[in-house]
Amino acid sequence: MTDRVDVVIAGAGPAGAHCARLLSRRGLSVTLVERHRLPRYKACGGGLPVKALRLLDIDVSAALEVEVREALVTCCGNRPVVIKYPAAVGWMVMRDTFDHILADGAADAGARICEGETVRTVAEEPDCCRIETTRRTLRADYLIGADGANSTVARTVAGHGAVKKEVAVAGEIFVSPADLERQGPRASFDFGAVPDGYSWIFPKKDHFSIGLYSSGERLSDLKRRLVDFIGREPVLRNYSKLTLRGHLLPRGDELPLYGTKRIFLCGDAGGMVDPFFGEGIYYALKSASIATEELCRRMAGDSDERVYTVAIKEQIGRDLAYARMMAMKFYRSVERYYGLMENNPAIQKAFTGIITGEYSFRECFFKSLLALPFSVLPKRGPSPSGGLSAIS
């Protein structure tokens, strides 16, 4: 069976579903291919920053479980800092519900959803893209690769191994109502709970999502560390049910290409994850919006294949470069840099601005520098090559 459409999208996560809705609303014929049956569980903390919500044109209120107005931040389990926000900085969601709402929104706009179908191979031909799935052959004028960290589409565009990955372990843990109440609507982060990373406790309506993210640990070590972490946390240790899953996260490295003449990479498939917090929903939605605009211009003959890569590098990649530099410095000397932040409201505000969208990572970096005591400011400026200058 061979189908021909304007656009095939691989992956019905936030990037793919959002892109499918936007393109369908422009009148294009769109087929969205998802290897799982929806709704499906997705290993993820489920923190949805308000800057991501602003990118959506669909009501997702049914997925919003807990409004976050407060955070508890610690360093290696000590030195607690409670940060209270004047307004919500985000919501907690379960990804099965959130992603399903986005996919339904795409279907409502006219996209065809093919569930339980896996993209096996992709070939870019002179007049179309040919996509072989487990059920059929699809042909499309354009292909959106939104098929996650292990993207089949990305291998076609950027080659095997182009998207570098880190490991995380996430889980859902069910505790008593008293422990849920003790945590309240507060997101908890313990920086340094694991080498080169952090732990999280995110409250949901009837349980917690927990996990560990690290740029330097193996999955087996992370699972062991997470079990130890549960035993140390009073609100977790008396749990009644626990499920854990390991998963890969792109580490936010820049790719040489984010697309070709007929193919566009979005979200995790293009490595677009913030390497400081491991957050990717915002970049998934943002890249989908960029891809939509660029694809429509290309169909109208107003663009060429270089423009999408340039747009992603300018609107996303440049900021992720600052996030990557900040993450490398912070996690390698976590106690030192935590000490600079813990009693400095200006730095706390700068990092909060990343979540709300008030500041980019670049702006956060320079605002944090300005808020530091003179004695710890860097002794050199920007490099002659234009590279980033960091705290020594």
Side-chain angles (χ1 to χ4, degrees):
M1 177 182 179
T2 302
D3 294 346
R4 178 74 184 245
V5 293
D6 292 327
V7 185
V8 166
I9 300 176
H18 187 49
C19 199
R21 177 176 170 81
L22 295 177
L23 290 170
S24 296
R25 293 185 65 185
R26 302 280 186 104
L28 278 65
S29 58
V30 177
T31 296
L32 179 58
V33 181
E34 167 57 44
R35 66 190 182 99
H36 296 288
R37 294 283 181 184
L38 299 173
R40 52 88 179 95
Y41 178 77
K42 170 70 175 176
C44 177
L48 183 67
V50 292
K51 65 181 180 180
L53 274 173
R54 295 193 196 104
L55 296 175
L56 295 171
D57 66 345
I58 184 174
D59 180 10
V60 296
S61 57
L64 306 181
E65 296 198 3
V66 177
E67 184 183 48
V68 179
R69 289 175 173 262
E70 188 174 305
L72 171 64
V73 185
T74 52
C75 178
C76 304
N78 301 304
R79 300 157 66 184
V81 175
V82 175
I83 304 173
K84 295 186 177 182
Y85 310 113
V89 297
W91 286 81
M92 295 301 172
V93 302
M94 289 300 295
R95 286 286 304 279
D96 53 355
T97 303
F98 178 72
D99 291 10
H100 198 197
I101 289 173
L102 297 186
D104 282 347
D108 290 343
R112 180 176 63 161
I113 314 295
C114 298
E115 301 177 40
E117 188 167 346
T118 301
V119 172
R120 284 181 167 172
T121 62
V122 171
E124 187 172 9
E125 300 178 345
D127 64 337
C128 70
C129 290
R130 189 182 74 251
I131 302 99
E132 301 286 347
T133 79
T134 47
R135 294 185 182 176
R136 72 197 88 201
T137 300
L138 295 167
R139 295 182 185 273
D141 292 335
Y142 297 96
L143 170 64
I144 304 290
D147 46 340
N150 291 315
S151 170
T152 298
V153 181
R155 290 195 291 272
T156 300
V157 172
H160 287 267
V163 178
K164 306 301 182 185
K165 307 173 190 72
E166 311 291 2
V167 67
V169 59
E172 315 302 327
I173 188 166
F174 290 80
V175 299
S176 69
D179 285 330
L180 284 174
E181 185 175 354
R182 188 187 314 179
Q183 177 74 15
R186 170 192 288 175
S188 296
F189 302 87
D190 184 19
F191 295 105
V194 59
D196 299 317
Y198 72 94
S199 66
W200 69 84
I201 303 174
F202 289 172
K204 303 297 171 68
K205 64 182 178 182
D206 61 357
H207 72 286
F208 299 132
S209 291
I210 61 172
L212 292 175
Y213 165 71
S214 171
S215 62
E217 291 284 284
R218 297 178 302 175
L219 179 59
S220 59
D221 293 333
L222 277 185
K223 286 184 174 179
R224 174 180 54 78
R225 288 183 183 275
L226 186 56
V227 171
D228 292 341
F229 170 72
I230 291 169
R232 295 194 305 269
E233 288 292 324
V235 296
L236 301 180
R237 62 169 66 116
N238 296 315
Y239 67 88
S240 60
K241 181 181 178 182
L242 171 67
T243 59
L244 297 179
R245 292 193 185 187
H247 63 108
L248 296 174
L249 284 174
R251 69 183 190 190
D253 291 334
E254 186 174 279
L255 300 183
L257 290 173
Y258 291 96
T260 63
K261 182 179 179 180
R262 297 184 178 277
I263 301 175
F264 302 77
L265 298 179
C266 291
D268 284 16
M272 300 174 216
V273 170
D274 139 30
F276 197 100
F277 295 110
E279 195 280 317
I281 298 177
Y282 169 74
Y283 298 102
L285 298 174
K286 186 174 179 66
S287 61
S289 298
I290 296 170
T292 296
E293 295 300 324
E294 174 55 26
L295 189 153
C296 291
R297 282 195 293 266
R298 201 170 298 181
M299 290 187 76
D302 295 335
S303 183
D304 62 48
E305 63 185 82
R306 297 168 296 178
V307 175
Y308 181 66
T309 290
V310 171
I312 290 296
K313 288 186 176 183
E314 289 183 349
Q315 298 183 51
I316 294 178
R318 185 176 299 171
D319 203 44
L320 292 183
Y322 275 90
R324 186 164 55 252
M325 179 268 291
M326 292 165 66
M328 287 176 62
K329 287 288 184 180
F330 182 87
Y331 289 116
R332 288 177 183 176
S333 300
V334 66
E335 294 197 49
R336 178 190 180 196
Y337 289 107
Y338 185 86
L340 297 175
M341 178 277 295
E342 65 179 321
N343 295 312
N344 195 318
I347 295 180
Q348 294 171 18
K349 183 178 186 296
F351 275 86
T352 300
I354 294 173
I355 303 170
T356 62
E358 182 180 0
Y359 302 134
S360 65
F361 271 99
R362 179 181 182 276
E363 291 168 325
C364 173
F365 173 70
F366 286 108
K367 285 183 178 294
S368 296
L369 281 184
L370 291 173
L372 289 174
F374 183 77
S375 60
V376 299
L377 287 174
K379 297 180 175 59
R380 66 182 189 279
S383 69
S385 64
L388 304 178
S389 172
I391 303 169
S392 59

